[in-house]
Amino acid sequence: MDSHTWTTVADVAAGACLLGGSFLAFAAGVGVLRFPDLLARMHAATKPQTLGLVLVLAGLALRIRSAPAVWALVLVAIFQMATAPVAAHLVGRAGYRTGKVPSETLVVDELTADVRRAEAERLGRAGTPPVDPEGTGGA
Amino acid sequence: MTLLVLLCATLLAVGATLAVVRAEKGPSMLDRAIALDVVVAVLVAAIALESAVTRSAVAVPILVVLSIVGFLSSVTIARFAAVEPAGEGRVLSRAEAAAAEAERHAREVADDEAEGRDGVDRAEGRDASGEES
């Protein structure tokens, strides 16, 4: 195995990574356009933001093969993984608060139960008897 | 290699176009924010693809900056998200926009005339008429 073979292998691997990342970006476009509600679209949108980005950056690193650039690309991946959940959390929360998340489509809905319980506790503290519309007994 | 690059570029372009279509249709501002996040992710992938083709690290700082500030737009939009009445988030057609503008103008003229008649009740009248914000 001489060095020429290794550069060829690296180039082929880079091509595969770039193709995979590009396909995830395409899939995200299809998903964001066709999925029916906000949370489903958020789910589709996360694909190129994390895995797709990591694949594309790995492909770029395999092509450049210089240490400073590769460290910068690692930094890009870390920043993206640190910031994408912040945006997703706030968008999901704003969507819930403004009624864009229909709770009958959810399999697990802990937030609605929590909000109702907090509301019941608040009313109970204010003097009226606590309300437990679900009949869950505060479980 | 050229074929691969063309295929990747086509996939990225189609993905970005579909996301832009969602940003236009949108029904709410949050859907648009998500669609534009996808466009930013595709932009990062496109810049990385271009760098990979030319084997140059010149554009890597652009990727760093985009990954740091890319989430700020959707955070800002989420902060100001409000309950939108049905149909509110739609982009108006030219005729609908003209009709809304004419209605607003007519209301302003009516308000001005009301002010001219009884200037004393100006403040209360403005409050009661539900001034457009």
Side-chain angles (χ1 to χ4, degrees):
Chain A
M1 291 287 234
D2 54 0
S3 69
H4 181 72
T5 315
W6 280 117
T7 55
T8 309
V9 168
D11 278 354
V12 170
C17 286
L18 288 170
L19 191 60
S22 303
F23 177 75
L24 280 176
F26 166 72
V30 174
V32 163
L33 182 61
R34 287 187 54 85
F35 280 175
D37 61 9
L38 181 70
L39 294 186
R41 286 175 198 143
M42 285 176 65
H43 159 72
T46 51
K47 297 302 155 257
Q49 284 178 348
T50 49
L51 180 58
L53 189 83
V54 168
L55 279 176
V56 168
L57 294 180
L60 178 56
L62 285 168
R63 278 287 282 180
I64 292 182
R65 295 198 282 269
S66 83
V70 171
W71 282 116
L73 295 179
V74 171
L75 210 60
V76 171
I78 290 175
F79 279 138
Q80 183 71 25
M81 285 181 181
T83 57
V86 177
H89 171 83
L90 283 170
V91 168
R93 185 182 176 282
Y96 178 83
R97 293 278 177 190
T98 55
K100 294 184 186 66
V101 180
S103 97
E104 66 268 21
T105 62
L106 300 178
V107 178
V108 179
D109 185 6
E110 292 171 324
L111 184 52
T112 300
D114 274 356
V115 167
R116 282 196 183 144
R117 200 178 318 132
E119 184 75 7
E121 278 176 17
R122 195 176 63 79
L123 287 174
R125 206 169 296 141
T128 45
V131 186
D132 195 1
E134 295 282 307
T136 52
Chain B
M1 191 66 202
T2 316
L3 188 69
L4 182 79
V5 170
L6 271 178
L7 184 58
C8 288
T10 311
L11 285 174
L12 290 176
V14 173
T17 309
L18 294 178
V20 167
V21 169
R22 171 51 71 193
E24 194 273 334
K25 283 168 74 166
S28 71
M29 290 311 296
L30 295 173
D31 294 301
R32 296 195 169 100
I34 291 168
L36 293 178
D37 272 0
V38 171
V39 174
V40 170
V42 171
L43 189 66
V44 170
I47 292 172
L49 181 66
E50 193 269 341
S51 302
V53 172
T54 58
R55 278 189 202 273
S56 77
V58 179
V60 169
I62 303 177
L63 299 183
V64 177
V65 171
L66 273 180
S67 70
I68 295 175
V69 302
F71 77 117
L72 290 180
S73 62
S74 46
V75 167
T76 311
I77 291 174
R79 175 66 185 76
F80 292 108
V83 178
E84 298 168 40
E88 182 83 349
R90 206 162 43 83
V91 176
L92 297 180
S93 72
R94 198 172 286 270
E96 285 169 333
E101 177 68 17
E103 188 191 341
R104 196 178 61 81
H105 185 70
R107 203 164 52 231
E108 272 179 8
V109 169
D111 280 356
D112 285 351
E113 281 175 0
E115 274 177 33
R117 268 204 302 279
D118 43 12
V120 186
D121 293 333
R122 186 156 155 261
E124 290 90 337
R126 267 180 178 269
D127 280 351
S129 69
E131 189 79 359
E132 196 77 24
S133 57

